[in-house]
Amino acid sequence: MIKAAIFGASGYTGQELIRILSGHPEVKLVAVTSRRFAGQQVSNVFPALQGMTSLKYQNATPAEICKICDVVFLALPHGVSMEIAPDFIKADKKVIDLSADYRLKDLKVYESWYAKHSSAKLIKKAVYGIPELYRQQIKKSKLIANPGCYPTSIILGLAPALKNNLLDVSTIIADSASGVSGAGREPLTGSLFCEVDGGFKAYKVGKHRHLPEIEQELNILAGKKFAISFTPHLLPVKRGILSTIYAKLKKDISLEDLHFLYRSFYEGEKFIRVCPEGVCPNISSVCGSNYCDIGLAVDSRTKRVVIIAAIDNLIKGAAGQAVQNMNIICGFEENAGLKIAPLYP
């Protein structure tokens, strides 16, 4: 058994980490921190977790947490993780950071989209945590930059096509829609029930902070630099992301051959499910699980491919993928603690 801690565990991602780790066969969850809820039982803040953990939130320092854990999850806002991660790395702890602080390899790009970086020397040591693409590097690392939710869906959706040079990359468009939990647990006006229910809108068009992260990884897959059009939308549901991706094909390919290519690329992957021909993913089929469902279509009339990827933004897009990364760096079965069926219906 390894001892795990969650630094900043009072948001939706923190709740999911507690839920998953409390049932993990190889992990003992020993500490969860929160300034706001310090001293309170976790089950008082998240009643759904009653009976799963007896832990209380602590307002603890990194030094205090280092004394009792082997691996730490940083479920903190962007700009905060960079202040704390170096303490855990110095103490030789395994760190899975769920913020964006170590995802972008170009410091100038990070600082142009976020803020000045205070521990930039660690960026080179961090491994971008999509296991399906970086499993071998993750195994050897002690600092994992857990990907964002939108990027996870888009990167996994496009990876086989880009690696096989099927697309005119200048034509890639990604339309993504996320449940309201993607905005976090803070009581913001735009996330209130009356503001969201019955609506469907685009936001941060052309300027969402996940854009440079998406392009960084797509550029690596394609072996060339290019930009994409990415538009996020807010769905009037609690959780889930559906990304619909369009691109012109460089050469003709049948739907049957495209399916074979995708199934071959993701053969053996525990959490990637390529839908049967003619079937499109639905967020209701992945919510509550670590699965990424991928659907494919070939539009011969326009010579475009349409790729649809569905994930739970809080699981494969955050906490579940973080635990998957932990399993890899700790040498556990990759789906340990994650054998969770979707919540459908």
Side-chain angles (χ1 to χ4, degrees):
M1 295 284 283
I2 66 159
K3 296 177 181 178
I6 307 168
F7 214 94
S10 60
Y12 292 129
T13 297
Q15 178 188 20
E16 290 297 334
L17 281 169
I18 295 169
R19 181 174 71 90
I20 295 168
L21 293 173
S22 294
H24 197 292
E26 305 285 353
V27 174
K28 181 178 181 181
L29 184 60
V30 295
V32 292
T33 78
S34 169
R35 292 179 181 177
R36 182 191 305 177
F37 298 113
Q40 294 191 43
Q41 292 277 353
V42 167
S43 57
N44 289 345
V45 178
F46 294 113
L49 297 176
Q50 186 172 357
M52 294 188 69
T53 179
S54 59
L55 287 173
K56 290 183 178 181
Y57 284 107
Q58 305 176 44
N59 184 12
T61 65
E64 291 170 327
I65 297 299
C66 278
K67 294 177 182 177
I68 58 173
C69 78
D70 305 303
V71 59
V72 63
F73 296 84
L74 303 183
L76 297 164
H78 312 308
V80 179
S81 286
M82 69 173 77
E83 301 291 340
I84 294 171
D87 295 326
F88 289 106
I89 296 298
K90 286 178 184 176
D92 201 32
K93 305 300 176 181
K94 296 178 174 68
V95 178
I96 295 100
D97 178 28
L98 286 92
S99 81
D101 286 356
Y102 300 102
R103 294 175 191 163
L104 298 176
K105 299 304 180 184
D106 188 323
L107 179 61
K108 290 182 180 178
V109 173
Y110 177 88
E111 293 185 341
S112 68
W113 285 83
Y114 291 91
K116 187 171 179 58
H117 210 295
S118 63
S119 55
K121 290 182 179 179
L122 286 181
I123 292 175
K124 290 184 178 180
K125 295 184 178 181
V127 173
Y128 191 71
I130 289 191
E132 292 79 9
L133 300 179
Y134 295 111
R135 184 170 286 111
Q136 297 307 314
Q137 296 94 317
I138 291 168
K139 284 181 180 179
K140 302 171 186 177
S141 179
K142 289 192 174 181
L143 175 58
I144 306 301
N146 211 63
C149 50
Y150 283 129
T152 295
S153 64
I154 294 168
I155 294 163
L156 289 174
L158 281 167
L162 290 175
K163 289 293 283 186
N164 285 275
N165 196 28
L166 291 182
L167 309 179
D168 176 350
V169 295
S170 68
T171 68
I172 295 175
I173 297 171
D175 280 334
S176 300
S178 174
V180 186
S181 58
R185 199 164 180 245
E186 292 297 319
L188 303 173
T189 301
S191 302
L192 297 175
F193 176 81
C194 288
E195 301 292 329
V196 175
D197 186 47
F200 180 53
K201 67 177 183 179
Y203 67 99
K204 294 184 180 178
V205 179
K207 56 183 179 181
H208 195 283
R209 283 177 167 179
H210 283 171
L211 187 52
E213 179 184 342
I214 296 167
E215 290 182 345
Q216 170 184 278
E217 295 305 311
L218 297 186
N219 288 182
I220 292 170
L221 285 164
K224 64 176 75 172
K225 291 204 72 173
F226 62 92
I228 71 163
S229 294
F230 166 57
T231 303
H233 300 75
L234 183 64
L235 277 172
V237 298
K238 290 187 291 186
R239 60 202 298 165
I241 281 179
L242 189 78
S243 288
T244 304
I245 307 157
Y246 312 85
K248 281 232 174 192
L249 288 162
K250 292 174 70 175
K251 55 186 176 182
D252 291 339
I253 186 170
S254 68
L255 182 57
E256 182 181 4
D257 287 345
L258 186 63
H259 268 266
F260 178 79
L261 184 152
Y262 267 70
R263 289 198 180 100
S264 298
F265 189 91
Y266 286 125
E267 186 176 6
E269 293 296 345
K270 297 179 184 297
F271 297 112
I272 307 295
R273 304 188 300 191
V274 180
C275 298
E277 289 184 31
V279 176
C280 294
N282 191 327
I283 57 172
S284 64
S285 298
V286 296
C287 281
S289 78
N290 201 49
Y291 289 117
C292 173
D293 285 1
I294 298 174
L296 303 165
V298 174
D299 186 343
S300 57
R301 186 179 63 86
T302 61
K303 296 189 180 297
R304 288 192 181 95
V305 65
V306 182
I307 304 161
I308 306 165
I311 64 169
D312 185 321
N313 57 296
L314 296 177
I315 310 296
K316 186 58 173 171
Q321 189 151 245
V323 173
Q324 188 180 355
N325 281 314
M326 178 205 70
N327 287 339
I328 293 170
I329 61 176
C330 292
F332 303 145
E333 186 179 359
E334 196 164 320
N335 61 353
L338 294 169
K339 301 172 185 177
I340 308 165
L343 297 172
Y344 183 85

